[in-house]
Every structure is written in C-alpha cells, then in structure tokens.
Amino acid sequence: MGLQLNEIRQISKKGLNKGALSRAVRLQNRVKFHAETHVAANQVGGATADFLAFVKNLLPSDKYKMFTALMRYPLITNEVVSVCFDKLSRVFDGRNPVYSYNFESAELAADWDYYRRVAIGEPSVWSKKAWEWYKTEYNAVAIVDMPNGITEEPRPYFYFTPISNVIDIATTPDGVIKWIMTRQPRELVSVIDDEYFRLFKSDKSGEPAELVEEIPHGLGYCPATFISGAPIALIDPIVRQSPLTKVLDTLDWYLFYSISNRHLDLYGSYPIYSGYAPNCNYINDTTGDYCDGGFLRDSGGHWHYDSAGQLVPCPKCGQKRIMGAGTFVDIPQPNEKGEEADYVPDMRNPVQMLSVDRNSLDFSQSEVNRLRESIITAVCGASEDVQGKEALNEKQIAANFESQTTVLGRVKRDFERLQLFVDSTICRLRYGDDFISASIDYGTEFYLDNIEQLHANYATAKQAGASTAELDALADRITETQYRNNPTQLQRAKVLSDLEPFRHMTVAEVVELFGKGAVSELEMKIKTHFGEYIRRFERENLNVVDFENTLPYYKKIEIINNKLTEYANN
C-alpha cells in the first residue's frame, strides 16, 4: 500500500532508518577510500581521517609525521583493488550467456530490442557504468523512473542514486525496497513506493513540502533495488556488502605496511652517520658570534637563522659535515684530560655509518607481498599469478579454478538480479500486460586462464599423449579465449580448424609419418600447403566464413575440402 502524504512528511521529520543509512555510508566510504582513485587527500573524504587516526595510535609523533609525508595519492591500494575488479569483470565475458524476453507479439519484441540498445544503452551500460558504481558505490540504489510530463508512449529509464542521497528508506527483512525517499537536483525530493512516483519541493531543512507531481505506475511493487544483492548481515538489510568488505582490515594493513616500507627504504638510501662533535673555538671578535656545535650563536646566546629559517653554520667547522643526503649524529669527544681514574678511552671509529637492518627490510617487503596476495586471493578466489609462480598439481589447479568460479558466480548473480529487475520493470512500464517474462543468465563458463597458460596446458597434454578429443577441447578453448572479443575471427578460426588435416600435428610430424607410409601424399600436401591453399580459395571465391553460408555447415566444409583436394592434385 502506498504512502499517504501526511506519512511522507512525518517520516522525513522522524526518520525510520537514519542509523542504518549512516552505517551504510560510513562502511561504503571505507571501501571507496581504497577503491576510488584520487590525486589529492581533499577528494577522498572522511575515510582518510579514520585511517590516519588508526595509524596515529600505532606510531610515535615523529614517525607519524613522516608517515603522512610519505602517504601519496593515488594510494597504492587503488592498484591492487583495480587488479581484483579486473579479474571480477570476467563475468561479462561468459562463453554462453542467455538473454530471453517474452512478449505477446514479435513487433513488441523488436521494439524492446531497439529500445534497450538505443534508450537504455544495453548491454554496455552494465559492464561500464553499472560496474563503476558497483566498485565504489556498491550500496547505491537502482531506480526505474518515468520522465516528467506526458509523452506519446511510455519512455521509462533507470538511474543510480548514491546511498548518501537517500533521505530515508524502508525494506522487507530480506532487503526488498518497499519505498524510498531521495534528494534530487533543484531542491526537489523524490518519493517512490509501490503505487506512485512523487516529486516534492523541499523546504529549508530539505524535507518534502509541496507536491509537484504524482504519477501512478501500477507495478504493485517499488521500482527500486540495491546494486549489491547481499546485506552485510541479515539483521541489517540496508547495509550492503561489497566484494571488498571482508578485506577492509587487510587493505588498511597493506597500505600501512607499504608506506612504512618506503620509510624503511629511505634508511637504505640515506643512512645515519655518526662522528665526534666538532671541537671548535671560533669567535667573531667584532660581533661576538661564537660556534656552538657547528652553528652560530650571538653574544647573547641566541641562535642565528638564515632566510629559510635554518640554523646558520659556523664558517670554520660548519662545512666539515656530511655532504649530500643523510642524517648526522654528533657523539661527544672522548675525555682526554683529567685524572687517570676518570679517563675512559673511546675506541670507536671517528666517523661511522649505521646501515638499515637487512632482516627488517626483508620482513617488511615480504609482508607487503603477503598482504597483496592475501587480498587478491580473498576477493578473486586465486592469487594474481598462481600458476606462474609455482608448480601446482592437478588437485590444486582444480581447487583454484573452482574457487575463482565460486567468486565470479556471486558477482554474476548480483548483476543478473539487477539487470533482470531493471529490464522487467522497464518492460512492464512500457508494454504493460503485453510483456510476459524475462530471464537473464550471464553464462556458466568464464575465461579464467590467459592465452599463454592455455598454450602451456595444450603442449603438456599433447606431450602426455592425450586423446584427440581432449586436444580438441583444449584447442577450442584457446581459440575461444584468443578471439572472444572478435566473433568474426572466432568463426573463421573454427572453420579453419575443421578444414585443416591432422590438426594437432606439426608439418614436420606429418612428413615423418608420410615417410613411414602412415600418411598419403595428398594428405601431406594439403597439410604442408594449407595456408597457401586457403588464401587461393578465398581469392577465387569468398572468405571461408561467408562462403555458401546458406548451406548446412557439413556441406560447406565438404565443398571446400573438395577444392583443397583439387589444388593438391594439380
């Protein structure tokens, strides 16, 4: 049942879920701190202060000051988060996606196909715009709305509103939005429930005051849904979960250790030197200035400062210090006078260098690397290059593959649910009861291996004596991965693989078999000159993809094979 006007005003004053919205914003800002790339601290927001407060509790004041000086933007965590989301974006490259929309007539189906591509921007709107929101504004809400004013035909659209723009919201225990109140441009407030789209002018306090427009939508549910499909806890359905939520603590430590490691590196480049304090008796007879520890004081004992605010060095001994970068620590000179009982000889070198401890350097760097791998593994299901760093057995490879597939499956379900909700709602608003149903499946197989690893797997299988069927499957996987973004080239590669004889043998191997009488001369000639024959065929006819594409596929392959045989016999 829709909200009454007096209910809307009461809700905006009291606030039903202000606490949950505040928690959602705070948690999302922590994620954005690591996920959103900025070039200056003032662009990041309150999460920077939270992180620095965490660091300040760990370090003494002088080290904290150095830490903040070394904390540069963009943050190093932006890079590792980018790696994670690049891996997760494979959900949009599924091998076997299915998009099904059912209408009462073919004309409406054609209209929807045009409308979704031109007016909504599908399918790229999900892999680009929606994906960017999912990375940094995962607690945002997708809202399907109608344009202001009356048009000849319904032209519904959707947009994302950040959780920080939500004034109040109500959900069922499982996170289905019952109504939502959001801030809009030009000091307007939008209220959407299961019956109406409403637009209000806001008063000075930002609360809805005067009703501007009211449009019934007839959906029977609120046309709004969260981008993220999972709450952080069942008792808190408004606070949603990001792929990064459970590694936020690790991301904080990764940033802390990465910056601390830079500080430690400085000691390797600019070590600490120590030496005897200068024993200088310089006095300026005219001004009364005198040397104290290599720097000048006036006759009243006050230090001299230059225009840059630095101590003025003694003209006699001030230049006999360390040259270049580094730190110099003065050590009192040994007592050469006094009673013999008071004399303590100093056997140290006059000037020494304190280098950084190698164990500390190694630990710091290894901890940075460990945290990085831990983040990528937790978010993506496998580390950045798990197969290239160590030899894995079949069970480990299978476990890594299953782990990655499980993680991608969660993200896939988020976007399938989101797109299905948006598309179905738009169709109901545009076509009414003439829209029957929709189903969206991003696919069940993803491109988890890079092309180099696939080639290595193929070579290993071939050397191990794998069957032709196994080699066919591996070769097809290589082709599909290599040309996944080029459907025409993929189709051509599949046709050529069906035409080439002895697909899994090299020319040298076929020639060797010919010498043993296991291969005919005709087969050897086609294998040896396969590329040349294909180019000749395409010069004389069409390319192998378009050639006789109205015939059954087997017939097309048969005709081309006959032509290749003719070339080999001439």
Side-chain angles (χ1 to χ4, degrees):
M1 182 176 178
L3 295 171
Q4 302 300 314
L5 295 179
N6 61 335
E7 286 184 284
I8 293 173
R9 295 187 178 97
Q10 290 175 3
I11 288 170
S12 66
K13 291 179 181 179
K14 295 180 180 179
L16 295 181
N17 288 297
K18 298 289 187 182
L21 289 170
S22 177
R23 291 194 298 275
V25 170
R26 188 162 58 249
L27 182 62
Q28 182 175 269
N29 284 341
R30 282 193 65 195
V31 171
K32 289 177 67 175
F33 175 68
H34 297 294
E36 196 168 53
T37 302
H38 293 290
V39 296
N42 59 6
Q43 296 177 314
V44 180
T48 303
D50 291 343
F51 174 74
L52 290 178
F54 158 72
V55 174
K56 196 169 187 178
N57 288 329
L58 300 176
L59 301 177
S61 57
D62 60 330
K63 297 296 187 294
Y64 173 75
K65 184 177 180 181
M66 176 60 74
F67 185 95
T68 57
L70 293 172
M71 184 173 168
R72 308 286 293 172
Y73 292 86
L75 299 174
I76 192 170
T77 47
N78 296 158
E79 184 270 337
V80 70
V81 168
S82 179
V83 169
C84 292
F85 277 102
D86 284 346
K87 289 179 174 291
L88 295 180
S89 66
R90 290 168 176 165
V91 295
F92 300 109
D93 292 328
R95 284 191 177 92
N96 50 347
V98 177
Y99 304 89
S100 175
Y101 303 92
N102 301 310
F103 297 86
E104 290 289 351
S105 69
E107 291 78 8
L108 293 179
D111 178 82
W112 167 243
D113 185 62
Y114 175 82
Y115 190 80
R116 67 188 288 260
R117 288 184 290 105
V118 176
I120 302 176
E122 290 187 350
S124 62
V125 68
W126 301 109
S127 61
K128 294 180 181 177
K129 181 179 178 180
W131 186 244
E132 290 303 315
W133 279 81
Y134 187 71
K135 288 195 288 187
T136 58
E137 296 276 0
Y138 65 90
N139 218 128
V141 178
I143 297 176
V144 179
D145 207 343
M146 295 287 283
N148 297 333
I150 300 174
T151 58
E152 294 181 1
E153 60 181 7
R155 298 188 62 81
Y157 64 98
F158 84 99
Y159 62 93
F160 298 111
T161 189
I163 196 68
S164 57
N165 278 0
V166 177
I167 300 172
D168 215 333
I169 192 172
T171 71
T172 63
D174 56 354
V176 176
I177 297 175
K178 297 193 290 187
W179 55 261
I180 184 170
M181 186 184 302
T182 62
R183 299 179 186 87
Q184 298 293 324
R186 303 187 302 277
E187 298 182 348
L188 296 175
V189 173
S190 169
V191 180
I192 303 175
D193 57 24
D194 57 357
E195 290 186 7
Y196 296 101
F197 297 108
R198 290 190 179 108
L199 203 59
F200 293 83
K201 280 187 178 179
S202 60
D203 57 20
K204 293 182 179 179
S205 62
E207 297 174 355
E210 177 186 347
L211 181 62
V212 175
E213 189 172 26
E214 181 179 79
I215 303 175
H217 53 67
L219 292 169
Y221 62 89
C222 179
T225 187
F226 289 108
I227 291 181
S228 172
I232 194 170
L234 292 177
I235 60 173
D236 214 351
I238 293 174
V239 185
R240 313 304 283 183
Q241 189 172 162
S242 162
L244 301 178
T245 300
K246 294 181 180 179
V247 295
L248 282 175
D249 177 68
T250 311
L251 282 165
D252 287 343
W253 281 107
Y254 176 64
L255 180 57
F256 173 79
Y257 270 104
S258 296
I259 296 174
S260 300
N261 190 57
R262 292 172 184 169
H263 190 188
L264 194 59
D265 288 342
L266 288 176
Y267 288 107
S269 302
Y270 308 113
I272 298 174
Y273 296 89
S274 63
Y276 294 138
N279 185 12
C280 180
N281 57 2
Y282 171 79
I283 298 178
N284 188 318
D285 295 332
T286 304
T287 62
D289 295 345
Y290 64 93
C291 175
D292 183 355
F295 299 97
L296 289 183
R297 291 181 184 266
D298 61 22
S299 57
H302 303 101
W303 293 105
H304 277 289
Y305 294 92
D306 59 19
S307 57
Q310 303 295 319
L311 290 173
V312 176
C314 169
K316 180 178 180 182
C317 70
Q319 301 303 320
K320 299 178 181 179
R321 316 290 290 170
I322 180 175
M323 301 300 292
T327 303
F328 195 95
V329 178
D330 288 325
I331 300 173
Q333 293 191 14
N335 183 12
E336 296 181 355
K337 297 181 179 181
E339 299 297 330
E340 184 175 349
D342 297 330
Y343 174 64
V344 179
D346 192 332
M347 306 302 292
R348 79 184 79 192
N349 293 329
V351 177
Q352 302 178 77
M353 181 180 74
L354 178 62
S355 60
V356 66
D357 178 49
R358 180 59 190 238
N359 291 333
S360 297
L361 276 174
D362 291 343
F363 168 78
S364 181
Q365 187 59 55
S366 65
E367 184 66 4
V368 170
N369 295 338
R370 185 191 69 80
L371 289 169
R372 177 188 172 86
E373 290 296 310
S374 173
I375 292 165
I376 295 174
T377 301
V379 176
C380 304
S383 63
E384 191 170 9
D385 188 18
V386 69
Q387 291 155 330
K389 293 182 178 178
E390 56 180 320
L392 301 180
N393 60 41
E394 292 182 5
K395 291 184 178 180
Q396 288 174 311
I397 292 174
N400 285 325
F401 186 85
E402 183 177 353
S403 179
Q404 292 179 76
T405 304
T406 301
V407 171
L408 288 174
R410 288 198 293 265
V411 179
K412 177 180 91 85
R413 288 190 293 273
D414 264 358
F415 272 82
E416 288 172 344
R417 175 200 57 83
L418 176 62
Q419 185 176 347
L420 180 62
F421 179 91
V422 170
D423 286 357
S424 297
T425 303
I426 290 176
C427 286
R428 291 188 178 100
L429 290 172
R430 183 170 171 83
Y431 306 107
D433 293 338
D434 289 330
F435 168 70
I436 301 173
S437 65
S439 63
I440 293 174
D441 189 335
Y442 281 17
T444 56
E445 297 181 17
F446 306 102
Y447 298 96
L448 299 181
D449 296 314
N450 58 44
I451 198 68
E452 291 80 10
Q453 184 61 42
L454 288 173
H455 277 295
N457 293 344
Y458 177 85
T460 301
K462 182 179 177 181
Q463 186 175 5
S467 67
T468 301
E470 290 176 308
L471 293 177
D472 280 343
L474 288 170
D476 289 343
R477 194 169 175 184
I478 291 172
T479 302
E480 290 171 358
T481 301
Q482 188 166 9
Y483 301 114
R484 63 181 181 270
N485 297 318
N486 191 336
T488 302
Q489 192 62 35
L490 175 59
Q491 190 176 357
R492 175 181 172 81
K494 288 183 176 180
V495 172
L496 293 179
S497 68
D498 287 336
L499 289 170
E500 184 177 7
F502 307 107
R503 178 186 180 189
H504 304 296
M505 291 186 183
T506 64
V507 172
E509 289 171 336
V510 173
V511 171
E512 183 180 351
L513 289 177
F514 170 71
K516 296 178 180 179
V519 171
S520 69
E521 183 179 359
L522 177 65
E523 291 172 323
M524 182 192 69
K525 287 183 68 176
I526 295 176
K527 176 68 176 182
T528 306
H529 302 285
F530 181 72
E532 177 187 340
Y533 291 165
I534 290 294
R535 288 191 295 272
R536 178 180 172 183
F537 176 86
E538 291 183 326
R539 286 195 303 269
E540 297 175 356
N541 303 275
L542 291 174
N543 64 73
V544 293
V545 174
D546 296 330
F547 177 77
E548 297 290 3
N549 56 10
T550 60
L551 292 177
Y553 183 72
Y554 79 91
K555 191 67 176 177
K556 168 180 173 171
I557 296 297
E558 182 181 335
I559 294 172
I560 299 176
N561 266 327
N562 291 337
K563 205 65 177 171
L564 298 181
T565 302
E566 180 183 325
Y567 295 156
N569 284 326
N570 291 338

